[in-house]
Amino acid sequence: MEITVVHGDITRQQVDAVVNAANNRMRGGSGVDGAIHRAGGPAVLADCVARFPHGLATGDAGWTTAGEMAARWVIHVVGPNRTAGQTDRGLLTSCYRRALEVADELGAGAVAFPLVSAGVYGWPKDDAIAAALEMFRAVDTDVAEARLVAFDGATYELMRAALSG
């Protein structure tokens, strides 16, 4: 699998699937979650309500339509909320592993990932990047490209350095 890092808007990526850093309720939120719901339109929320009436467990993943985005699917993952005391790194790595498993089920060749849990959920960015890269390198998958997308320049530089280092 090719691992790439880009600086940009995850909602505008030309990929088969976009990964959403969702919350347990699966009803939209802030950060990446809010951006994906806004860009995808009401179809994303409607599909979340239909597929996940009771939400999704931390560390798990599931998919919905991508609505109005260029991608075909959104793969929703629920990362650990470190600021709320969820410090089990296994929950974070599980998000990437489960997202790749769901991508394989869907037949997605290119998948764009945010940095899960590294925003309002408070996971340190350097460890969040390391967790993503570890899983991309360890999971046996048919995904051809895992694309880490950074919205801001500083995070992009951290990702780029970690990938090349």
Side-chain angles (χ1 to χ4, degrees):
M1 171 174 54
E2 179 182 10
I3 303 169
T4 58
V5 176
V6 299
H7 181 198
D9 183 340
I10 197 164
T11 68
R12 296 176 185 249
Q13 299 301 305
Q14 300 288 322
V15 291
D16 299 309
V18 169
V19 175
N20 179 24
N23 60 50
N24 293 106
R25 290 185 52 246
M26 298 291 293
R27 300 298 182 261
S30 61
V32 171
D33 195 16
I36 284 174
H37 277 266
R38 284 189 300 277
V44 177
L45 179 59
D47 213 5
C48 281
V49 170
R51 291 178 184 274
F52 310 103
H54 305 292
L56 196 62
T58 302
D60 205 358
W63 66 274
T64 64
T65 180
E68 298 171 24
M69 287 186 286
R72 184 169 177 188
W73 302 287
V74 175
I75 300 172
H76 304 266
V77 299
V78 179
N81 185 341
R82 192 173 177 98
T83 60
Q86 295 178 325
T87 59
D88 180 355
R89 191 173 189 268
L91 292 171
L92 180 59
T93 57
S94 178
C95 289
Y96 292 100
R97 180 182 47 78
R98 287 288 300 127
L100 290 168
E101 290 169 356
V102 170
D104 282 342
E105 291 169 15
L106 295 169
V111 182
F113 290 81
L115 199 53
V116 176
S117 291
V120 296
Y121 278 11
W123 207 275
K125 285 185 181 180
D126 58 341
D127 191 48
I129 294 165
L133 294 177
E134 285 169 23
M135 289 295 96
F136 294 160
R137 292 173 176 144
V139 174
D140 183 26
T141 180
D142 291 327
V143 171
E145 180 193 3
R147 183 182 304 173
L148 269 175
V149 181
F151 189 70
D152 65 272
T155 302
Y156 167 74
E157 291 301 329
L158 287 173
M159 289 177 172
R160 193 175 62 75
L163 183 59
S164 64

